[in-house]
Amino acid sequence: MARRDYYEILGVGRDATEEDIKKAYRKLAIKHHPDKNPGDRTAEEAFKEATEAYEVLKDGQKRQMYDRFGHDGLRAGSGFDGFTGFDLADALRAFMRDFGGFGFEDIFGVGSTSRGARGAAVRGQDLQVTLELTLEEISSGVDKTLKVKRQVSCEQCGGGGAEKGSGRRNCPTCHGTGQIKSVARSLFGQFVSVHVCNTCGGEGRIIEKKCRECGGLGTVRGISTVDVKIPAGVSGGNYLTVRGQGDVGPRGASPGDLIVVINETEHDHFTRRHDDIIVEVPLSFSQAALGAEIDVPTLDGNTSLKVPPGTQSGKVFLLRNKGIPHLNGYGRGDELVRVVVWTPSDLSVEEKELFNKLAKTRGEKPPKTDKSFFEKLRQTLGV
Ligand SMILES: [Zn+2]
Ligand SMILES: [Zn+2]
């Protein structure tokens, strides 16, 4: 199959600077990153392809070879490793190496489960916890300390998994390589497949005598505290990945990640719609008719709102920038205040008289169907 031109893949010209190449790759890599496109094989291929192109073009020497001889210039025997067997794990590692320093959360926003060492044979388990947040906490951003039940390093053996005085030796099955190669022949030729050694789990070494405390695993159940920083503006279902805070890996292998899933606690007053919040505020007959200055709750405490005379029930007032801050962005949503005229149901004799008087003064006619009233209602309901 003809292979696509590296410059074409990255969408840059042949005279592109190193900076152009880096920029173009970063954009593509983020777009096609497997964590953003779970289960999408096409995106995975695009991610690998872009990474391969980047790996060549960012390297002056490789780029020169490629410019002169094309893909053949990079084949084995040309002094370079070539890219046979450049798999997803390599691509993820390359991306992490050059762009991991920013932190994945910064690149993707909350919602990433990235890690560099995907595909490693042995690694601690990822753990998932749910974190309940109030709208106020979401609005301000918050630091939380979580208690997490997880596998921690075994103190008895120092995490190595071996009983005191006992050592480790090369695995007899794979002779220390951690891998078993098998060769299969077919009509199309010979295939070599490599899989993880079952005896040593890919570690290449086995323990002579297992630690009694942890059974040779090197880890035991424990509880740890983990500090997390929640940025303002997250939503329910968003998650943060705290790298390395999952289960400690067996016998000193790298730890898993802790995935913190955000759950939004229902608020007594506010309803959230994207980054806007909606609140309903009662208004008395006289306030609606005469106008008033009323107290309205916001996420930052009460504020006063001027209601003009003749305000209809259901009217929505807009408080700009009183909503939820935009996640990883500038500015925040608005607060929509919907006033609802409160009809009293426990009138005293005196009050009844007053309403009767009022009704007589106004001719006791039912209110006219004011077209603009229904128009406004429709707008409020979005129908
Ligand atoms: Zn132990
Ligand atoms: Zn082995």
Side-chain angles (χ1 to χ4, degrees), residues 44-78:
E44 193 181 302
E45 282 308 314
F47 178 76
K48 277 197 298 195
E49 191 184 52
T51 308
E52 183 180 320
Y54 169 70
E55 286 289 274
V56 171
L57 297 187
K58 75 166 177 78
D59 180 313
Q61 245 185 320
K62 283 185 191 169
R63 185 175 175 182
Q64 215 176 10
M65 291 295 277
Y66 177 72
D67 284 347
R68 289 179 67 189
F69 306 110
H71 289 289
D72 289 337
L74 302 163
R75 290 265 154 76
S78 60

Side-chain angles (χ1 to χ4, degrees), residues 4-25:
R4 273 179 76 198
D5 175 61
Y6 287 145
Y7 291 97
E8 195 188 304
I9 291 168
L10 293 183
V12 295
R14 299 195 86 83
D15 56 352
T17 64
E18 213 183 306
E19 198 51 38
D20 295 337
I21 287 162
K22 210 167 169 173
K23 250 194 219 159
Y25 166 65

Side-chain angles (χ1 to χ4, degrees), residues 135-136 266-272 277-280 297-298:
L135 264 188
E136 282 86 354
E266 207 171 297
H267 199 281
D268 287 343
H269 309 307
F270 301 120
T271 308
R272 179 177 182 176
I277 55 166
I278 303 165
V279 66
E280 221 164 63
T298 75

Side-chain angles (χ1 to χ4, degrees), residues 251-374:
R251 292 171 290 280
S254 57
D257 298 335
L258 177 68
I259 297 156
V260 182
V261 182
I262 306 294
N263 200 24
E264 206 176 289
T265 315
E266 207 171 297
H267 199 281
D268 287 343
H269 309 307
F270 301 120
T271 308
R272 179 177 182 176
R273 194 174 63 190
H274 309 296
D275 286 340
D276 294 335
I277 55 166
I278 303 165
V279 66
E280 221 164 63
V281 175
L283 208 59
S284 72
F285 278 145
S286 47
Q287 284 176 320
L290 304 171
E293 202 161 316
I294 58 169
D295 262 0
V296 174
T298 75
L299 287 167
D300 318 314
N302 280 6
T303 188
S304 76
L305 173 72
K306 246 196 188 123
V307 177
T311 294
Q312 300 294 352
S313 188
K315 173 147 176 81
V316 175
F317 294 91
L318 188 69
L319 297 177
R320 283 215 181 279
N321 302 319
K322 288 286 184 191
I324 310 273
H326 302 312
L327 181 65
N328 293 348
Y330 299 99
R332 54 197 287 187
D334 301 322
E335 177 169 336
L336 303 164
V337 182
R338 185 168 184 263
V339 294
V340 180
V341 173
W342 174 250
T343 311
S345 56
D346 54 349
L347 292 180
S348 66
V349 178
E350 203 185 343
E351 286 166 338
K352 265 184 196 157
E353 237 165 62
L354 284 170
F355 272 113
N356 272 327
K357 232 186 234 174
L358 184 64
K360 261 184 209 143
T361 317
R362 293 183 62 86
E364 287 205 300
K365 271 185 277 178
K368 266 199 298 184
T369 44
D370 179 357
K371 196 182 166 207
S372 71
F373 172 77
F374 286 105

Side-chain angles (χ1 to χ4, degrees), residues 124-136:
Q125 287 280 317
D126 290 342
L127 298 177
Q128 185 175 315
V129 292
T130 304
L131 177 61
E132 291 278 344
L133 293 178
T134 64
L135 264 188
E136 282 86 354

Side-chain angles (χ1 to χ4, degrees), residues 74-113:
L74 302 163
R75 290 265 154 76
S78 60
F80 291 107
D81 291 342
F83 280 103
T84 40
F86 185 80
D87 65 8
L88 185 62
D90 295 324
L92 286 164
R93 260 194 293 275
F95 179 68
M96 277 299 283
R97 182 198 62 220
D98 287 5
F99 297 98
F102 296 102
F104 263 93
E105 280 72 27
D106 290 347
I107 294 175
F108 289 140
V110 178
S112 156
T113 55

